[in-house]
Amino acid sequence: MSTKKTIILPQYRPYFEELGDNIRLARKRRQLTVNRIAQRASIHRATLYRIEKGDPSVSIGSYFKVFKAMNLHEDFKLLGANDVQGRQLQDLSLL
């Protein structure tokens, strides 16, 4: 089995760390254990620990499973939805 190393520039690492923190806090607010979420998401506990640390090498599918296990899957639709720059470029092309 070959694994690819996910390369994230250091300046973008905090984005993943913040996402992991948000996931961990959401789990704790719901008073759910790591074991319970891992079971609901059908992932290994170690994978959930990596997600909560903001590991960029974990697949986006695993992140989604955790969101779904906490009933936050609708939040996934919001990723990239507020595309201010894209809308500005689109508006410029309409002129």
Side-chain angles (χ1 to χ4, degrees):
M1 177 172 112
S2 71
T3 57
K4 282 177 129 178
K5 175 97 170 127
T6 302
I7 299 172
I8 299 294
L9 294 173
Q11 67 260 34
Y12 300 121
R13 185 83 181 134
Y15 291 90
F16 285 88
E17 291 169 358
E18 184 177 353
L19 176 59
D21 287 341
N22 289 343
I23 290 169
R24 186 181 73 260
L25 291 171
R27 176 180 60 77
K28 287 183 174 188
R29 281 191 295 269
R30 288 165 173 70
Q31 299 178 356
L32 295 167
T33 65
V34 168
N35 287 337
R36 174 57 94 193
I37 292 299
Q39 181 183 23
R40 285 184 184 180
S42 299
I43 61 173
H44 195 276
R45 277 188 341 251
T47 303
L48 181 54
Y49 282 123
R50 290 173 49 211
I51 288 171
E52 289 186 355
K53 290 205 174 290
D55 186 341
S57 68
V58 176
S59 75
I60 194 164
S62 293
Y63 275 86
F64 179 78
K65 287 179 177 184
V66 171
F67 272 71
K68 178 75 173 107
M70 291 191 292
N71 203 28
L72 291 170
H73 54 284
E74 291 295 320
D75 288 1
F76 236 66
K77 292 179 182 179
L78 302 176
L79 297 175
N82 189 19
D83 183 14
V84 174
Q85 184 180 14
R87 287 193 181 102
Q88 289 172 341
L89 291 169
Q90 181 183 25
D91 290 347
L92 285 174
S93 70
L94 296 175
L95 295 177

